[in-house]
Amino acid sequence: MITKTTRGLAAAALTLLPLFAATPAHAQADVLTLADGIQRLPLAAESRDGYERTKFKHWVDADKNSCNTRAEVLEAESRIPVTVEQGCKIIAGEWYSYYGAA
């Protein structure tokens, strides 16, 4: 009997809880476009300290055309035709970034 009463009270409390809970913080957040949100990000000087491309071994050539994933994405997303050297090395192109000044 006590167990059923306890379960009933717990169920009632859980049912009523949303009515008394505070409004979630995200409900009061500003709605921004992606561009406006990026403009609000703080700027800092670029630092490549500790970066070594050789530490990233995940670039694969899934379609076996001699170009790894990185090169294929660079080629696909360039605004102009890319300049490619032997071995599918991308040496020039033009890319847009929300995070850059271009």
Side-chain angles (χ1 to χ4, degrees):
M1 177 71 175
I2 295 175
T3 303
K4 288 183 180 180
T5 304
T6 304
R7 287 183 185 162
L9 290 173
L14 290 174
T15 303
L16 297 174
L17 184 62
L19 299 175
F20 300 105
T23 303
H26 69 275
Q28 299 171 0
D30 291 336
V31 177
L32 298 174
T33 65
L34 175 61
D36 289 339
I38 289 171
Q39 290 298 319
R40 290 187 180 191
L41 290 173
L43 298 177
E46 182 176 345
S47 172
R48 292 183 180 243
D49 293 342
Y51 173 78
E52 293 177 38
R53 185 176 286 169
T54 57
K55 290 181 179 178
F56 299 90
K57 305 281 186 193
H58 61 281
W59 301 117
V60 297
D61 180 11
D63 58 7
K64 307 293 185 217
N65 68 349
S66 299
C67 294
N68 64 29
T69 305
R70 179 182 180 276
E72 291 188 15
V73 170
L74 287 173
E75 183 175 6
E77 294 189 359
S78 180
R79 292 176 162 186
I80 62 173
V82 296
T83 304
V84 184
E85 285 186 342
Q86 189 173 358
C88 201
K89 181 179 179 182
I90 308 287
I91 60 168
E94 183 180 299
W95 298 271
Y96 177 77
S97 171
Y98 276 113
Y99 306 102

